[in-house]
Protein backbone atom coordinates (compact mmCIF):
# COMPACT_ATOMS: atom_id res chain seq x y z
CA UNK A 1 0.00 0.00 0.00
CA UNK A 2 1.47 3.35 -0.98
CA UNK A 3 0.17 6.77 0.00
CA UNK A 4 1.42 10.23 0.87
CA UNK A 5 0.13 9.87 4.40
CA UNK A 6 0.75 7.08 6.86
CA UNK A 7 -2.40 5.47 8.30
CA UNK A 8 -1.55 6.93 11.69
CA UNK A 9 0.08 9.97 13.19
CA UNK A 10 1.78 10.83 16.44
CA UNK A 11 -0.35 13.15 18.54
CA UNK A 12 1.86 15.01 21.00
CA UNK A 13 1.11 14.90 24.73
CA UNK A 14 -1.27 17.58 25.98
CA UNK A 15 -0.11 18.53 29.48
CA UNK A 16 -3.10 20.87 30.03
CA UNK A 17 -5.61 18.08 29.56
CA UNK A 18 -3.33 15.48 31.13
CA UNK A 19 -3.17 13.46 27.89
CA UNK A 20 -0.09 11.38 27.03
CA UNK A 21 1.46 11.12 23.56
CA UNK A 22 -0.74 8.89 21.37
CA UNK A 23 -0.76 7.24 17.98
CA UNK A 24 -4.02 8.16 16.29
CA UNK A 25 -5.58 7.52 12.89
CA UNK A 26 -4.36 9.99 10.24
CA UNK A 27 -6.68 12.65 8.78
CA UNK A 28 -8.75 12.54 5.59
CA UNK A 29 -10.95 10.18 3.62
CA UNK A 30 -8.13 8.14 2.11
CA UNK A 31 -6.75 7.00 5.45
CA UNK A 32 -10.26 6.45 6.80
CA UNK A 33 -11.05 4.09 3.97
CA UNK A 34 -7.80 2.18 3.73
CA UNK A 35 -6.47 1.71 7.20
CA UNK A 36 -8.60 -1.31 8.06
CA UNK A 37 -7.58 -2.99 4.81
CA UNK A 38 -3.89 -2.43 5.53
CA UNK A 39 -4.26 -3.78 9.05
CA UNK A 40 -6.18 -6.85 7.90
CA UNK A 41 -3.74 -7.79 5.12
CA UNK A 42 -0.55 -6.95 7.07
CA UNK A 43 0.58 -5.05 3.99
CA UNK A 44 3.55 -2.75 4.26
CA UNK A 45 2.30 0.82 3.98
CA UNK A 46 4.87 3.03 2.24
CA UNK A 47 4.34 6.66 3.26
CA UNK A 48 6.26 9.88 3.24
CA UNK A 49 7.72 11.39 6.39
CA UNK A 50 5.79 14.67 6.30
CA UNK A 51 7.12 16.31 9.42
CA UNK A 52 9.20 15.79 12.54
CA UNK A 53 6.63 13.62 14.23
CA UNK A 54 6.64 11.23 11.23
CA UNK A 55 10.45 11.34 11.38
CA UNK A 56 10.23 10.34 15.04
CA UNK A 57 8.04 7.37 14.09
CA UNK A 58 10.58 6.43 11.45
CA UNK A 59 13.10 5.80 14.20
CA UNK A 60 10.94 2.99 15.57
CA UNK A 61 11.78 0.56 12.76
CA UNK A 62 12.04 0.05 9.03
CA UNK A 63 9.29 -0.82 8.36
CA UNK A 64 8.02 0.20 11.78
CA UNK A 65 5.34 -1.88 13.48
CA UNK A 66 3.06 0.73 14.94
CA UNK A 67 -0.04 0.23 17.02
CA UNK A 68 -2.81 2.81 17.43
CA UNK A 69 -4.42 3.20 20.84
CA UNK A 70 -7.35 1.07 19.68
CA UNK A 71 -4.96 -1.88 19.24
CA UNK A 72 -4.69 -1.92 15.42
CA UNK A 73 -1.23 -2.68 14.13
CA UNK A 74 0.33 -1.30 10.96
CA UNK A 75 3.65 -1.86 9.22
CA UNK A 76 4.78 1.52 7.98
CA UNK A 77 7.83 2.11 5.78
CA UNK A 78 8.52 5.84 5.80
CA UNK A 79 10.60 7.49 3.12
CA UNK A 80 12.15 10.87 3.84
CA UNK A 81 12.72 12.97 0.73
CA UNK A 82 13.92 15.93 2.83
CA UNK A 83 12.01 19.06 3.83
CA UNK A 84 12.68 21.12 0.73
CA UNK A 85 11.62 18.49 -1.80
CA UNK A 86 8.57 17.63 0.31
CA UNK A 87 7.51 21.25 0.45
CA UNK A 88 7.74 21.67 -3.34
CA UNK A 89 5.90 18.40 -3.87
CA UNK A 90 3.15 18.98 -1.32
CA UNK A 91 2.67 22.75 -0.99
CA UNK A 92 3.47 23.84 -4.56
CA UNK A 93 2.44 20.99 -6.88
CA UNK A 94 0.06 18.52 -5.18
CA UNK A 95 -1.82 21.12 -3.18
CA UNK A 96 -2.69 23.59 -4.56
CA UNK A 97 -1.86 23.02 -8.27
CA UNK A 98 -3.20 19.48 -8.85
CA UNK A 99 -5.87 19.61 -6.15
CA UNK A 100 -7.11 22.93 -7.55
CA UNK A 101 -7.23 21.62 -11.10
CA UNK A 102 -9.01 18.45 -10.12
CA UNK A 103 -11.66 20.29 -8.10
CA UNK A 104 -12.04 23.11 -10.64
CA UNK A 105 -10.97 25.67 -8.05
CA UNK A 106 -8.90 28.05 -10.19
CA UNK A 107 -10.24 31.48 -10.98
CA UNK A 108 -8.72 31.18 -14.46
CA UNK A 109 -8.79 34.87 -15.34
CA UNK A 110 -6.21 35.41 -12.62
CA UNK A 111 -4.63 32.12 -11.62
CA UNK A 112 -2.59 29.94 -11.83
CA UNK A 113 0.51 31.56 -13.25
CA UNK A 114 2.67 28.76 -14.56
CA UNK A 115 6.34 29.65 -14.82
CA UNK A 116 9.85 28.46 -14.18
CA UNK A 117 9.09 28.05 -10.48
CA UNK A 118 6.36 25.55 -11.39
CA UNK A 119 8.77 23.56 -13.55
CA UNK A 120 11.35 23.67 -10.77
CA UNK A 121 8.84 22.41 -8.19
CA UNK A 122 7.67 19.71 -10.58
CA UNK A 123 11.18 18.35 -11.21
CA UNK A 124 12.80 18.86 -7.83
CA UNK A 125 9.70 18.31 -5.73
CA UNK A 126 6.98 16.18 -7.28
CA UNK A 127 9.12 13.98 -9.50
CA UNK A 128 11.91 13.70 -6.94
CA UNK A 129 9.49 12.53 -4.23
CA UNK A 130 7.73 10.13 -6.61
CA UNK A 131 11.17 8.66 -7.43
CA UNK A 132 12.09 8.09 -3.80
CA UNK A 133 8.76 6.35 -3.27
CA UNK A 134 9.20 4.17 -6.37
CA UNK A 135 12.70 3.17 -5.17
CA UNK A 136 11.26 2.12 -1.85
CA UNK A 137 8.57 0.04 -3.51
CA UNK A 138 11.17 -1.74 -5.62
CA UNK A 139 13.13 -2.53 -2.44
CA UNK A 140 10.05 -3.83 -0.62
CA UNK A 141 9.06 -5.99 -3.57
CA UNK A 142 12.59 -7.42 -3.58
CA UNK A 143 12.32 -8.34 0.09
CA UNK A 144 8.94 -10.04 -0.15
CA UNK A 145 8.45 -13.68 -1.05
CA UNK A 146 4.86 -13.07 -2.14
CA UNK A 147 3.88 -12.16 -5.72
CA UNK A 148 4.06 -8.38 -5.70
CA UNK A 149 0.79 -6.46 -5.61
CA UNK A 150 1.16 -2.71 -5.29
CA UNK A 151 -1.75 -0.42 -4.45
CA UNK A 152 -0.89 3.24 -5.01
CA UNK A 153 -3.15 5.99 -3.75
CA UNK A 154 -4.09 9.41 -5.04
CA UNK A 155 -2.85 12.51 -6.79
CA UNK A 156 0.38 13.01 -4.89
CA UNK A 157 1.93 9.92 -6.51
CA UNK A 158 0.89 9.98 -10.17
CA UNK A 159 4.33 9.08 -11.53
CA UNK A 160 5.07 6.15 -9.23
CA UNK A 161 3.39 3.35 -11.21
CA UNK A 162 5.32 4.28 -14.36
CA UNK A 163 8.62 4.44 -12.50
CA UNK A 164 8.07 1.05 -10.87
CA UNK A 165 6.98 -0.51 -14.16
CA UNK A 166 10.26 0.61 -15.79
CA UNK A 167 12.20 -1.43 -13.26
CA UNK A 168 9.98 -4.42 -12.54
CA UNK A 169 8.26 -6.52 -15.18
CA UNK A 170 6.45 -8.99 -13.06
CA UNK A 171 4.43 -6.74 -10.80
CA UNK A 172 0.73 -5.96 -10.56
CA UNK A 173 -0.06 -2.34 -9.91
CA UNK A 174 -3.35 -0.71 -9.08
CA UNK A 175 -3.54 3.05 -8.73
CA UNK A 176 -6.66 4.55 -7.17
CA UNK A 177 -7.43 8.25 -7.61
CA UNK A 178 -9.55 9.49 -4.73
CA UNK A 179 -10.40 12.89 -6.19
CA UNK A 180 -12.34 13.95 -9.30
CA UNK A 181 -10.76 13.66 -12.74
CA UNK A 182 -11.67 16.83 -14.65
CA UNK A 183 -12.29 17.26 -18.36
CA UNK A 184 -9.44 17.11 -20.92
CA UNK A 185 -9.79 20.87 -21.53
CA UNK A 186 -9.28 21.74 -17.89
CA UNK A 187 -6.07 19.68 -17.78
CA UNK A 188 -4.60 21.95 -20.44
CA UNK A 189 -3.97 24.49 -17.69
CA UNK A 190 -0.79 22.50 -17.14
CA UNK A 191 2.11 22.57 -19.62
CA UNK A 192 2.08 19.57 -21.92
CA UNK A 193 5.23 18.00 -20.44
CA UNK A 194 3.71 17.93 -16.97
CA UNK A 195 0.21 16.80 -17.88
CA UNK A 196 1.53 14.07 -20.18
CA UNK A 197 3.91 12.78 -17.50
CA UNK A 198 0.95 12.47 -15.15
CA UNK A 199 -1.06 10.33 -17.54
CA UNK A 200 1.95 8.27 -18.65
CA UNK A 201 2.86 7.68 -15.01
CA UNK A 202 -0.63 6.46 -14.22
CA UNK A 203 -0.66 4.18 -17.24
CA UNK A 204 2.21 2.25 -15.66
CA UNK A 205 -0.55 0.58 -13.61
CA UNK A 206 -2.58 -2.47 -14.70
CA UNK A 207 -5.84 -1.14 -13.31
CA UNK A 208 -6.75 2.47 -12.65
CA UNK A 209 -9.51 3.08 -10.15
CA UNK A 210 -11.68 6.18 -9.87
CA UNK A 211 -14.65 7.04 -7.68
CA UNK A 212 -17.39 7.57 -10.28
CA UNK A 213 -18.29 6.75 -13.86
CA UNK A 214 -17.88 10.44 -14.74
CA UNK A 215 -14.23 10.31 -13.60
CA UNK A 216 -13.64 7.22 -15.74
CA UNK A 217 -15.11 8.91 -18.81
CA UNK A 218 -13.08 12.05 -18.24
CA UNK A 219 -9.89 10.02 -17.87
CA UNK A 220 -10.50 8.04 -21.06
CA UNK A 221 -11.27 11.26 -22.94
CA UNK A 222 -8.11 12.86 -21.56
CA UNK A 223 -6.04 9.95 -22.90
CA UNK A 224 -7.69 10.23 -26.28
CA UNK A 225 -7.94 13.99 -26.74
CA UNK A 226 -4.85 15.26 -24.95
CA UNK A 227 -2.41 12.43 -25.66
CA UNK A 228 -3.80 10.85 -28.83
CA UNK A 229 -3.79 7.38 -27.24
CA UNK A 230 -5.99 4.53 -28.43
CA UNK A 231 -8.94 4.13 -26.13
CA UNK A 232 -11.84 1.70 -26.07
CA UNK A 233 -14.66 3.63 -24.44
CA UNK A 234 -16.99 0.65 -24.15
CA UNK A 235 -14.42 -1.68 -22.65
CA UNK A 236 -13.00 1.20 -20.61
CA UNK A 237 -9.46 0.41 -21.66
CA UNK A 238 -6.44 2.45 -22.74
CA UNK A 239 -3.71 0.90 -24.90
CA UNK A 240 -0.25 2.01 -23.88
CA UNK A 241 3.19 0.59 -24.65
CA UNK A 242 1.82 -2.78 -25.70
CA UNK A 243 -0.38 -3.18 -22.63
CA UNK A 244 -4.10 -2.70 -22.04
CA UNK A 245 -4.80 -0.65 -18.93
CA UNK A 246 -8.23 -1.07 -17.38
CA UNK A 247 -9.99 2.02 -16.11
CA UNK A 248 -12.82 1.38 -13.68
CA UNK A 249 -14.84 3.11 -11.02
CA UNK A 250 -15.07 1.71 -7.50
CA UNK A 251 -16.95 4.03 -5.15
CA UNK A 252 -15.01 4.10 -1.91
CA UNK A 253 -16.77 3.59 1.39
CA UNK A 254 -16.35 3.06 5.11
CA UNK A 255 -15.69 0.02 7.25
CA UNK A 256 -19.27 -0.05 8.48
CA UNK A 257 -18.84 -2.60 11.28
CA UNK A 258 -15.82 -0.87 12.74
CA UNK A 259 -17.42 2.52 12.34
CA UNK A 260 -20.66 1.51 14.07
CA UNK A 261 -18.72 -0.08 16.92
CA UNK A 262 -16.83 3.19 17.36
CA UNK A 263 -20.15 5.05 17.37
CA UNK A 264 -21.22 2.99 20.40
CA UNK A 265 -18.02 3.63 22.36
CA UNK A 266 -17.99 5.36 25.76
CA UNK A 267 -15.86 8.20 24.31
CA UNK A 268 -18.56 9.00 21.76
CA UNK A 269 -21.25 8.73 24.45
CA UNK A 270 -19.36 11.27 26.59
CA UNK A 271 -19.19 13.67 23.67
CA UNK A 272 -22.90 13.20 23.03
CA UNK A 273 -23.68 14.09 26.63
CA UNK A 274 -21.75 17.34 26.12
CA UNK A 275 -23.69 18.12 22.93
CA UNK A 276 -26.99 17.53 24.76
CA UNK A 277 -26.16 20.39 27.08
CA UNK A 278 -26.27 23.03 24.34
CA UNK A 279 -28.12 21.65 21.34
CA UNK A 280 -31.33 23.46 20.39
CA UNK A 281 -34.43 21.88 18.87
CA UNK A 282 -33.03 21.79 15.31
CA UNK A 283 -29.40 21.00 14.53
CA UNK A 284 -27.86 21.51 11.10
CA UNK A 285 -24.38 20.01 10.88
CA UNK A 286 -21.40 20.02 8.60
CA UNK A 287 -18.16 18.10 9.20
CA UNK A 288 -15.29 18.92 6.87
CA UNK A 289 -11.63 19.67 6.52
CA UNK A 290 -11.14 23.41 6.04
CA UNK A 291 -10.71 22.90 2.32
CA UNK A 292 -11.79 25.32 -0.40
CA UNK A 293 -13.51 22.50 -2.26
CA UNK A 294 -15.88 21.91 0.66
CA UNK A 295 -17.77 25.17 0.02
CA UNK A 296 -18.12 26.14 3.66
CA UNK A 297 -18.74 29.86 3.05
CA UNK A 298 -21.67 29.31 0.67
CA UNK A 299 -23.10 26.93 3.26
CA UNK A 300 -23.24 29.81 5.76
CA UNK A 301 -24.72 32.16 3.14
CA UNK A 302 -27.45 29.62 2.42
CA UNK A 303 -28.18 29.26 6.12
CA UNK A 304 -28.36 33.04 6.45
CA UNK A 305 -30.98 33.11 3.70
CA UNK A 306 -32.96 30.45 5.50
CA UNK A 307 -32.87 32.57 8.67
CA UNK A 308 -34.01 35.61 6.67
CA UNK A 309 -36.97 33.72 5.23
CA UNK A 310 -37.94 31.95 8.48
CA UNK A 311 -37.80 34.22 11.52
CA UNK A 312 -39.91 31.62 13.34
CA UNK A 313 -36.80 29.43 13.50
CA UNK A 314 -34.67 32.04 15.28
CA UNK A 315 -33.67 30.77 18.67
CA UNK A 316 -34.60 27.19 17.73
CA UNK A 317 -31.96 26.24 15.18
CA UNK A 318 -28.20 26.03 15.20
CA UNK A 319 -25.72 25.42 12.38
CA UNK A 320 -22.72 23.58 13.78
CA UNK A 321 -19.66 23.63 11.54
CA UNK A 322 -17.25 21.08 12.96
CA UNK A 323 -14.09 21.68 10.94
CA UNK A 324 -10.72 19.96 10.88
CA UNK A 325 -7.80 22.30 10.21
CA UNK A 326 -6.17 21.38 6.91
CA UNK A 327 -3.12 22.38 4.83
CA UNK A 328 -2.48 25.57 6.77
CA UNK A 329 0.99 25.81 5.26
CA UNK A 330 -0.66 26.92 2.00
CA UNK A 331 -1.66 30.61 1.67
CA UNK A 332 -5.01 29.97 -0.02
CA UNK A 333 -6.05 27.57 2.72
CA UNK A 334 -5.16 30.02 5.48
CA UNK A 335 -7.03 32.81 3.71
CA UNK A 336 -10.02 30.52 3.20
CA UNK A 337 -10.20 29.64 6.87
CA UNK A 338 -10.13 33.41 7.53
CA UNK A 339 -13.19 33.94 5.30
CA UNK A 340 -15.01 31.00 6.89
CA UNK A 341 -14.55 32.53 10.32
CA UNK A 342 -15.40 36.07 9.27
CA UNK A 343 -18.61 35.12 7.44
CA UNK A 344 -19.76 33.07 10.43
CA UNK A 345 -18.97 35.98 12.74
CA UNK A 346 -20.91 38.39 10.51
CA UNK A 347 -24.00 36.16 10.45
CA UNK A 348 -23.74 35.71 14.20
CA UNK A 349 -23.49 39.48 14.73
CA UNK A 350 -26.51 40.09 12.54
CA UNK A 351 -28.83 37.45 14.02
CA UNK A 352 -27.78 36.62 17.59
CA UNK A 353 -30.26 37.56 20.26
CA UNK A 354 -31.11 36.74 23.86
CA UNK A 355 -28.36 34.12 24.35
CA UNK A 356 -28.95 32.46 20.95
CA UNK A 357 -26.08 32.35 18.45
CA UNK A 358 -27.06 30.90 15.06
CA UNK A 359 -23.68 29.43 14.02
CA UNK A 360 -21.21 27.46 16.08
CA UNK A 361 -17.79 26.95 14.50
CA UNK A 362 -15.31 24.54 16.03
CA UNK A 363 -11.91 23.96 14.49
CA UNK A 364 -10.62 20.71 15.84
CA UNK A 365 -9.73 17.18 14.79
CA UNK A 366 -11.46 14.74 17.10
CA UNK A 367 -13.13 11.70 15.59
CA UNK A 368 -15.10 10.86 18.78
CA UNK A 369 -16.69 14.28 18.66
CA UNK A 370 -17.30 14.13 14.90
CA UNK A 371 -19.17 10.84 15.35
CA UNK A 372 -21.13 12.23 18.28
CA UNK A 373 -22.10 15.11 15.99
CA UNK A 374 -23.14 12.65 13.26
CA UNK A 375 -25.43 10.90 15.70
CA UNK A 376 -27.25 14.11 16.53
CA UNK A 377 -27.90 16.09 13.37
CA UNK A 378 -31.35 16.81 11.95
CA UNK A 379 -29.88 17.98 8.67
CA UNK A 380 -26.38 17.19 7.40
CA UNK A 381 -25.06 19.67 4.83
CA UNK A 382 -22.57 18.19 2.35
CA UNK A 383 -22.32 20.82 -0.40
CA UNK A 384 -18.84 20.55 -1.96
CA UNK A 385 -18.02 22.44 -5.14
CA UNK A 386 -16.62 19.14 -6.43
CA UNK A 387 -15.56 16.16 -4.36
CA UNK A 388 -14.17 12.73 -5.22
CA UNK A 389 -16.54 10.81 -2.96
CA UNK A 390 -17.11 12.57 0.37
CA UNK A 391 -17.30 10.02 3.15
CA UNK A 392 -19.12 12.40 5.52
CA UNK A 393 -22.21 11.78 3.36
CA UNK A 394 -21.89 8.07 4.15
CA UNK A 395 -20.67 8.13 7.75
CA UNK A 396 -23.25 10.66 8.95
CA UNK A 397 -26.45 8.86 7.92
CA UNK A 398 -24.93 5.48 8.88
CA UNK A 399 -24.85 6.29 12.60
CA UNK A 400 -27.33 9.16 12.96
CA UNK A 401 -30.10 8.43 15.50
CA UNK A 402 -32.58 11.20 14.66
CA UNK A 403 -33.54 10.14 11.13
CA UNK A 404 -31.59 13.13 9.88
CA UNK A 405 -31.81 14.37 6.30
CA UNK A 406 -28.82 14.57 3.95
CA UNK A 407 -28.52 17.71 1.81
CA UNK A 408 -26.05 16.71 -0.89
CA UNK A 409 -24.23 18.51 -3.69
CA UNK A 410 -24.80 17.06 -7.12
CA UNK A 411 -21.01 17.36 -7.61
CA UNK A 412 -20.01 15.07 -4.75
CA UNK A 413 -18.98 11.59 -5.93
CA UNK A 414 -21.34 10.08 -3.36
CA UNK A 415 -24.25 11.67 -5.23
CA UNK A 416 -24.02 8.92 -7.85
CA UNK A 417 -25.01 6.37 -5.16
CA UNK A 418 -27.00 8.40 -2.65
CA UNK A 419 -28.55 11.25 -4.65
CA UNK A 420 -32.01 9.70 -4.96
CA UNK A 421 -32.46 9.65 -1.19
CA UNK A 422 -30.83 12.96 -0.37
CA UNK A 423 -32.01 16.50 -1.07
CA UNK A 424 -29.88 17.43 -4.06
CA UNK A 425 -28.41 20.90 -4.38
CA UNK A 426 -26.36 22.80 -6.89
CA UNK A 427 -23.51 23.86 -4.60
CA UNK A 428 -23.27 27.35 -6.14
CA UNK A 429 -26.97 28.09 -5.69
CA UNK A 430 -27.36 29.44 -2.18
CA UNK A 431 -31.13 29.96 -2.53
CA UNK A 432 -31.68 26.36 -3.53
CA UNK A 433 -29.43 25.26 -0.66
CA UNK A 434 -31.38 27.47 1.78
CA UNK A 435 -34.63 25.85 0.67
CA UNK A 436 -33.15 22.37 0.99
CA UNK A 437 -31.98 23.11 4.54
CA UNK A 438 -35.47 24.27 5.43
CA UNK A 439 -37.18 21.34 3.70
CA UNK A 440 -34.85 18.98 5.51
CA UNK A 441 -35.71 20.46 8.89
CA UNK A 442 -39.45 20.35 8.18
CA UNK A 443 -39.66 16.96 6.47
CA UNK A 444 -42.23 14.62 8.01
CA UNK A 445 -41.00 11.74 10.10
CA UNK A 446 -42.07 8.99 7.71
CA UNK A 447 -40.13 10.43 4.78
CA UNK A 448 -37.06 11.11 6.86
CA UNK A 449 -37.04 7.57 8.09
CA UNK A 450 -37.51 6.09 4.63
CA UNK A 451 -34.75 8.21 3.08
CA UNK A 452 -32.13 7.54 5.72
CA UNK A 453 -33.07 3.86 5.68
CA UNK A 454 -32.27 3.64 1.96
CA UNK A 455 -28.99 5.51 2.40
CA UNK A 456 -27.90 3.16 5.19
CA UNK A 457 -28.78 0.16 3.11
CA UNK A 458 -26.62 1.41 0.22
CA UNK A 459 -23.67 2.21 2.49
CA UNK A 460 -23.89 -1.14 4.27
CA UNK A 461 -24.06 -3.08 1.00
CA UNK A 462 -21.31 -1.13 -0.73
CA UNK A 463 -18.98 -0.94 2.19
CA UNK A 464 -15.20 -0.95 2.16
CA UNK A 465 -15.00 -4.74 1.85
CA UNK A 466 -16.89 -4.58 -1.41
CA UNK A 467 -14.71 -1.71 -2.62
CA UNK A 468 -11.60 -3.82 -2.20
CA UNK A 469 -13.21 -7.08 -3.36
CA UNK A 470 -14.23 -5.50 -6.67
CA UNK A 471 -10.71 -4.26 -7.28
CA UNK A 472 -9.14 -7.62 -6.46
CA UNK A 473 -11.66 -9.36 -8.68
CA UNK A 474 -10.66 -7.14 -11.61
CA UNK A 475 -6.98 -7.71 -10.98
CA UNK A 476 -7.54 -11.44 -10.86
CA UNK A 477 -9.49 -11.37 -14.11
CA UNK A 478 -6.80 -9.32 -15.76
CA UNK A 479 -4.02 -11.65 -14.67
CA UNK A 480 -6.18 -14.45 -16.11
C1 LIG B 1 -8.19 13.91 0.75
C2 LIG B 1 -7.17 13.33 -0.21
C3 LIG B 1 -6.11 12.53 0.54
C4 LIG B 1 -5.51 13.37 1.66
C5 LIG B 1 -6.62 13.90 2.56
C6 LIG B 1 -6.09 14.80 3.69
O1 LIG B 1 -8.95 12.89 1.32
O2 LIG B 1 -7.80 12.56 -1.20
O3 LIG B 1 -5.10 12.12 -0.35
O4 LIG B 1 -4.61 12.62 2.42
O5 LIG B 1 -7.53 14.64 1.77
O6 LIG B 1 -5.29 15.82 3.19
P1 LIG B 1 -3.77 15.99 3.64
O7 LIG B 1 -3.20 16.96 2.65
O8 LIG B 1 -3.85 16.54 5.01
O9 LIG B 1 -3.11 14.63 3.60
Amino acid sequence: MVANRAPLALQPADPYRGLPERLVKGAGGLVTALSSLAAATHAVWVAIARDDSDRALMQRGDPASLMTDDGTEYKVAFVDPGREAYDLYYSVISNPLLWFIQHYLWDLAREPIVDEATQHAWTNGYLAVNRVVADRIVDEVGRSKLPPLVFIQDYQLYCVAGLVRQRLDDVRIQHFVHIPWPTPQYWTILPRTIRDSIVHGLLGADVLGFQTSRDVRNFLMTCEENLGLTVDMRERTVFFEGRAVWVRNYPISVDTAEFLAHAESPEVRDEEARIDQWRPEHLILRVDRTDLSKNIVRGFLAYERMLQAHPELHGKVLFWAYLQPSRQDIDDYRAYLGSVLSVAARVNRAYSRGGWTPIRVEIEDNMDRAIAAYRNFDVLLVNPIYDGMNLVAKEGPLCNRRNGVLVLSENAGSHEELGTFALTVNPFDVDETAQALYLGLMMDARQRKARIGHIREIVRTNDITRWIALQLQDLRELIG
Side-chain angles (χ1 to χ4, degrees), residues 157-163 175 196-205 240:
L157 302 172
Y158 282 147
C159 298
V160 170
L163 292 166
H175 188 128
D196 287 2
S197 305
I198 289 175
V199 175
H200 288 153
L202 278 169
L203 292 172
F240 183 62

Side-chain angles (χ1 to χ4, degrees), residues 4-5 27-31 50 90 95 99 153-156 178-179 289 291 326-327:
N4 174 56
R5 253 184 194 273
L30 180 153
V31 162
R50 308 161 69 243
Y90 184 81
N95 319 305
W99 180 273
Q153 308 300 317
D154 234 352
Y155 60 97
Q156 303 93 341
H178 291 251
I179 64 176
R289 288 186 301 103
D291 196 292
S326 188
R327 303 179 189 164

Side-chain angles (χ1 to χ4, degrees), residues 70-285:
D70 67 359
T72 322
E73 197 177 351
Y74 302 95
K75 270 196 273 176
V76 186
F78 281 106
V79 297
D80 186 357
R83 283 193 183 82
E84 205 185 317
Y86 186 81
D87 192 51
L88 296 173
Y89 146 91
Y90 184 81
S91 303
V92 182
I93 302 292
S94 303
N95 319 305
L97 191 59
L98 297 180
W99 180 273
F100 271 46
I101 287 180
Q102 295 197 237
H103 293 84
Y104 298 93
L105 293 177
W106 289 116
D107 174 5
L108 289 185
R110 297 182 182 79
E111 287 182 309
I113 291 170
V114 175
D115 59 8
E116 217 184 311
T118 320
Q119 297 286 357
H120 173 79
W122 172 258
T123 310
N124 301 294
Y126 196 87
L127 275 181
V129 173
N130 275 243
R131 275 204 190 96
V132 185
V133 172
D135 290 347
R136 182 63 205 236
I137 295 171
V138 173
D139 289 351
E140 282 303 324
V141 166
R143 274 193 227 180
S144 167
K145 292 186 195 66
L146 298 166
L149 185 54
V150 183
F151 272 53
I152 306 167
Q153 308 300 317
D154 234 352
Y155 60 97
Q156 303 93 341
L157 302 172
Y158 282 147
C159 298
V160 170
L163 292 166
V164 172
R165 174 78 53 204
Q166 281 168 14
R167 293 172 53 192
L168 298 177
D169 271 346
D170 191 21
V171 59
R172 293 293 156 190
I173 308 175
Q174 226 271 17
H175 188 128
F176 189 84
V177 180
H178 291 251
I179 64 176
W181 191 271
T183 60
Q185 294 92 312
Y186 206 69
W187 275 109
T188 65
I189 290 171
L190 285 179
R192 179 178 288 278
T193 46
I194 298 184
R195 61 180 201 247
D196 287 2
S197 305
I198 289 175
V199 175
H200 288 153
L202 278 169
L203 292 172
D206 298 284
V207 179
L208 286 175
F210 291 93
Q211 303 278 23
T212 68
S213 52
R214 169 151 75 179
D215 301 318
V216 168
R217 274 197 305 279
N218 281 344
F219 182 79
L220 293 170
M221 287 194 311
T222 305
C223 289
E224 192 170 61
E225 287 180 26
N226 289 5
L227 291 99
L229 295 171
T230 307
V231 166
D232 185 333
M233 281 294 201
R234 267 200 28 216
E235 294 295 327
R236 295 177 298 166
T237 303
V238 184
F239 298 93
F240 183 62
E241 294 183 338
R243 290 177 306 114
V245 179
W246 286 14
V247 187
R248 298 286 184 274
N249 62 305
Y250 312 97
I252 205 162
S253 191
V254 276
D255 181 335
T256 50
E258 193 225 71
F259 184 78
L260 288 170
H262 189 171
E264 296 297 332
S265 67
E267 290 79 12
V268 171
R269 289 277 157 81
D270 288 351
E271 290 293 348
E272 284 198 78
R274 276 181 213 128
I275 295 168
D276 274 347
Q277 289 166 7
W278 53 260
R279 68 153 298 146
E281 188 180 339
H282 304 292
L283 182 62
I284 299 175
L285 173 72

Side-chain angles (χ1 to χ4, degrees), residues 259 262-263 267-275 279 283 285 320 322 366-377 399-401:
F259 184 78
H262 189 171
E267 290 79 12
V268 171
R269 289 277 157 81
D270 288 351
E271 290 293 348
E272 284 198 78
R274 276 181 213 128
I275 295 168
R279 68 153 298 146
L283 182 62
L285 173 72
W320 183 15
Y322 189 58
N366 176 345
M367 196 59 191
D368 296 331
R369 194 159 168 78
I371 297 180
Y374 287 155
R375 284 169 73 86
N376 285 282
F377 69 81
C399 69
N400 177 267
R401 52 183 185 83

